[in-house]
Amino acid sequence: MRKLFTTVATLAVCLVGLAQNNYTLEQLRDSAKVNNSALKTARYDAQAATEQRKEAFTKFFPNISAAGVWFATNNGMAKVEIDPSKYLSPSIAQILAQILPAEAIAALGNPISIEMMKNGLLGSVMAVQPVFAGGQIVNGNKLAKVGEEAGQLQLQLAENEAVHGVEEYFWKLVSLEEKVKTINAVEQLLNDINKNVSAAVDAEVVLRNDLLQVQLRQNDIESQKLKLNNGIRLVKMLLAQLCGLQEDDFTITYALREDLPMVPREDHAAALPQTTEYKLLGKQLEATQLQKKMAVGKYLPTLAVGAGYSYHNLLDRDHNFGMIFATVRIPISDWWGGSHAIKRKKLAVLKAQEDLDSKSRLLSIRMQNAWNGVEESWEEYAIALKSIEQAQENLRIYKNCYDAGTSTMTDLLQAQLLYQQAMDKKTEAYSAYMIKVLEYNQAIGK
């Protein structure tokens, strides 16, 4: 019921987003969880694993089968010839001679051909209940259960990947849009400088070269704006593809915080068993152990009991009967090749255990690397904030100096460029930090 409610709520959120053509990060995440193509494929695989587990459960029940045959032949399947004269004693022959006509007595001297089963009907119903199958049924069900759990873990990994892709492109889009805002502010600043320098050139106060430098800088800004808009268009298309949106001309809603909090570091050793990747490695080891047990069970004796009912009219008479039976199968020669098959499965278990140990260390390294990324991006953001203050002050000083005639236009434009770069680095650091936090949370299994 809770799962149904969550699905309905998610669809409602997606429909609201479609109606308003404006999305928050949470809405895009929810849309990806419902509509992402890779996630749908993983969901189908998980559902298939569930059906396989249900299929394995049916092996505990009797195997019931029914069969029926009707046939007709051009000659009877059974044919015999009887010579009556061989079975008549002289005394019986004398008695028959007094009773039967001469023609009948003469016919008794010829062989008689009898055909049987020229057509018939057969039918049967059988029920066989396995009693012992070397543990193959029990372990097969356990293996199917492990497969179902592994399918759910694979689904979680696919969801993590989809969410990571959505957040990565979302914050990339935020970065591009913030850069457009910076470009617009710089463009306005250059327009003001252009206006003032044009007036100064007309008054022959400054050289025309200063105006040309401003105009060249304005042309560069126009080129940057075009590239940014193209980048925004492309990122929106990628984001729409990830989220399964029908349109790629949409807007996003976000709010940037100046006081960006630093996330706390978790205990990596305690977090390792909670990660989806570690759990999946554990399921792979468990699956190979069960496969080894099934390989052993394949070469053990099997016992089954059953009951059946049959009917036929082969001799033109209805006949039916019931029966009970027991079967035992003991593989003898199979053990020759089976011993090697079992050794191969044992090696697969050792390989899975080594894979678990090796990749566990890699997962721990991944956690530490993700944490390093969080620390570095947070420090870069803090540095970017300081750089903006310094770049703003530097730009103010050079503008005042240029107005006072104590600095060149080149110095002023260089100060403006440094300010733009500082603003861009702040935006990039903010987006990078948000992505690194997501990667760290996924790495520790949150």
Side-chain angles (χ1 to χ4, degrees):
M1 187 69 180
R2 181 180 297 176
K3 184 184 243 183
L4 177 61
F5 177 77
T6 302
T7 304
V8 172
T10 300
L11 290 173
V13 169
C14 296
L15 290 174
V16 169
L18 288 171
Q20 62 189 14
N21 202 33
N22 183 41
Y23 301 93
T24 63
L25 176 58
E26 191 64 30
Q27 287 173 331
L28 290 172
R29 279 178 180 169
D30 292 338
S31 180
K33 290 177 182 179
V34 175
N35 302 314
N36 182 263
S37 178
L39 198 51
K40 285 182 178 179
T41 300
R43 193 173 291 116
Y44 295 146
D45 291 339
Q47 292 172 352
T50 299
E51 295 302 322
Q52 187 172 12
R53 190 260 304 164
K54 293 179 180 179
E55 176 187 354
F57 183 70
T58 63
K59 302 300 181 182
F60 282 115
F61 299 96
N63 182 13
I64 301 174
S65 61
V69 177
W70 174 86
F71 66 92
T73 63
N74 60 338
N75 292 309
M77 290 190 292
K79 184 176 181 180
V80 295
E81 290 188 352
I82 301 175
D83 187 355
S85 63
K86 293 181 179 181
Y87 303 99
L88 296 177
S89 63
S91 59
I92 295 177
Q94 290 178 359
I95 295 172
L96 292 177
Q98 296 175 2
I99 300 173
L100 298 177
E103 293 82 359
I105 297 298
L108 292 176
N110 298 323
I112 301 172
S113 179
I114 301 175
E115 291 184 344
M116 295 181 293
M117 294 188 294
K118 292 190 64 175
N119 56 67
L121 178 66
L122 300 90
S124 66
V125 177
M126 292 287 181
V128 180
Q129 173 64 55
V131 177
F132 178 74
Q136 293 185 79
I137 296 177
V138 173
N139 290 322
N141 273 267
K142 291 180 179 178
L143 183 60
K145 178 64 175 176
V146 170
E148 181 183 27
E149 293 169 351
Q152 292 299 321
L153 292 173
Q154 291 283 9
L155 178 60
Q156 183 61 53
L157 285 178
E159 183 175 313
N160 289 346
E161 186 176 350
V163 169
H164 181 274
V166 169
E167 289 221 10
E168 183 176 1
Y169 284 122
F170 179 87
W171 289 112
K172 188 174 182 65
L173 184 57
V174 169
S175 177
L176 291 173
E177 292 193 352
E178 288 296 311
K179 286 182 179 181
V180 169
K181 292 179 182 179
T182 302
I183 284 284
N184 291 335
V186 170
E187 188 176 37
Q188 183 60 45
L189 176 62
L190 289 175
N191 289 337
D192 294 339
I193 294 175
N194 186 306
K195 186 185 299 183
N196 294 334
V197 173
S198 295
V201 169
D202 292 340
E204 299 182 352
V205 176
V206 298
L207 297 176
R208 185 171 182 80
N209 181 60
D210 287 359
L211 179 60
L212 292 175
Q213 289 186 58
V214 176
Q215 290 173 342
L216 287 172
R217 180 62 180 151
Q218 287 178 314
N219 293 339
D220 182 57
I221 289 296
E222 285 296 324
S223 176
Q224 291 182 38
K225 184 186 289 188
L226 177 61
K227 291 179 180 179
L228 285 173
N229 288 331
N230 287 339
I232 288 173
R233 177 67 175 171
L234 180 60
V235 172
K236 284 184 177 180
M237 293 175 67
L238 293 170
L239 198 53
Q241 190 275 332
L242 274 176
C243 298
L245 303 179
Q246 298 302 316
E247 79 287 345
D248 51 36
D249 185 17
F250 56 87
T251 59
I252 58 173
T253 300
Y254 61 91
L256 303 183
R257 298 177 54 179
E258 291 292 336
D259 56 334
L260 203 56
M262 178 63 175
V263 297
R265 187 183 187 277
E266 301 289 340
D267 183 352
H268 292 173
L272 178 61
Q274 307 304 318
T275 61
T276 304
E277 293 83 354
Y278 184 87
K279 292 178 181 178
L280 188 57
L281 289 170
K283 292 302 174 184
Q284 290 174 349
L285 175 59
E286 189 177 350
T288 55
Q289 291 171 336
L290 289 170
Q291 287 169 354
K292 186 199 74 172
K293 291 180 180 180
M294 291 186 68
V296 173
K298 185 177 179 182
Y299 302 101
L300 293 177
T302 59
L303 172 65
V305 296
Y309 171 83
S310 296
Y311 162 84
H312 70 80
N313 63 352
L314 299 179
L315 300 176
D316 295 327
R317 298 181 67 181
D318 294 334
H319 181 65
N320 58 74
F321 59 92
M323 63 177 172
I324 58 173
F325 58 89
T327 63
V328 178
R329 177 182 176 274
I330 303 175
I332 298 176
S333 62
D334 289 352
W335 267 101
W336 187 7
S339 62
H340 299 291
I342 293 171
K343 288 179 181 179
R344 181 163 49 85
K345 292 298 182 181
K346 288 181 179 179
L347 292 173
V349 172
L350 294 176
K351 178 183 176 182
Q353 181 64 60
E354 182 63 29
D355 197 39
L356 174 62
D357 296 338
S358 175
K359 290 185 177 178
S360 294
R361 292 190 290 270
L362 290 176
L363 288 174
S364 297
I365 295 172
R366 174 194 171 193
M367 290 181 187
Q368 184 59 47
N369 184 55
W371 174 251
N372 292 342
V374 170
E375 284 188 318
E376 291 168 4
S377 59
W378 191 80
E379 289 293 338
E380 287 176 0
Y381 178 74
I383 294 171
L385 289 179
K386 295 179 182 178
S387 298
I388 288 176
E389 295 177 2
Q390 296 165 351
Q392 285 176 332
E393 181 62 16
N394 184 60
L395 178 60
R396 185 189 67 80
I397 292 173
Y398 272 105
K399 187 175 185 305
N400 292 338
C401 290
Y402 179 80
D403 293 340
T406 57
S407 68
T408 65
M409 176 57 69
T410 301
D411 295 332
L412 176 58
L413 293 178
Q414 181 63 26
Q416 176 272 320
L417 179 60
L418 291 175
Y419 171 74
Q420 180 185 349
Q421 290 175 346
M423 291 293 293
D424 289 346
K425 285 183 179 179
K426 172 200 168 186
T427 301
E428 292 170 357
Y430 191 103
S431 298
Y433 176 75
M434 300 304 294
I435 294 173
K436 292 298 181 181
V437 169
L438 171 68
E439 291 177 352
Y440 180 65
N441 286 335
Q442 290 184 344
I444 62 176
K446 277 192 174 180

